[in-house]
């Protein structure tokens, strides 16, 4: 898959020692550091990029949460792809901004 995709990721961490929001903040920082385009939303973060890079980032986000003190995670993802063209966040959001 060579086209740009959109992936929505929702991370639901739990920890005996840290508030979930602190762990989610670390996950968002990992996404930000990736250099991929992203948009933080109230319930999930949407990431745009090549399939392999985005999926590698999903793994890094999970590892960041564990390194920051998460005991367990529930990670929900949704992927939008197209066989013939790139998928862009802006195409879906432009009229609302």
């Amino acid at each position: 898959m060579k086209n740009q995709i959109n992936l929505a990721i929702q991370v639901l961490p739990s920890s005996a020692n840290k508030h979930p929001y602190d762990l989610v903040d670390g996950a968002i920082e990992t996404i930000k550091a990736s250099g991929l385009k992203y948009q933080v939303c109230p319930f999930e973060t949407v990431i745009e990029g090549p399939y392999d890079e985005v999926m590698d980032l999903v793994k890094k986000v999970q590892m960041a949460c564990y390194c920051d003190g998460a005991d367990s995670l529930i990670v929900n993802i949704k992927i939008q792809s197209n066989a013939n063209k790139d998928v862009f966040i802006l195409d879906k959001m432009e009229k609302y901004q």
Side-chain angles (χ1 to χ4, degrees), residues 30-58:
T30 299
I31 293 167
K32 183 178 181 179
S34 74
L36 295 174
K37 185 172 183 174
Y38 68 96
Q39 184 165 347
V40 176
C41 304
F43 293 103
E44 62 194 9
T45 298
V46 180
I47 305 164
E48 177 180 293
Y51 180 87
D52 289 338
E53 287 183 46
V54 174
M55 293 307 291
D56 186 50
L57 182 55
V58 169

Side-chain angles (χ1 to χ4, degrees), residues 70-81:
D71 296 321
S72 67
L73 299 172
I74 295 174
V75 179
N76 297 308
I77 62 171
K78 297 181 277 189
I79 299 171
Q80 181 185 7
S81 62

Side-chain angles (χ1 to χ4, degrees), residues 11-37:
V11 179
L12 303 170
S14 65
S15 171
N17 303 318
K18 286 202 168 181
H19 191 280
Y21 288 176
D22 295 331
L23 297 166
V24 169
D25 286 345
I28 293 170
E29 284 301 314
T30 299
I31 293 167
K32 183 178 181 179
S34 74
L36 295 174
K37 185 172 183 174

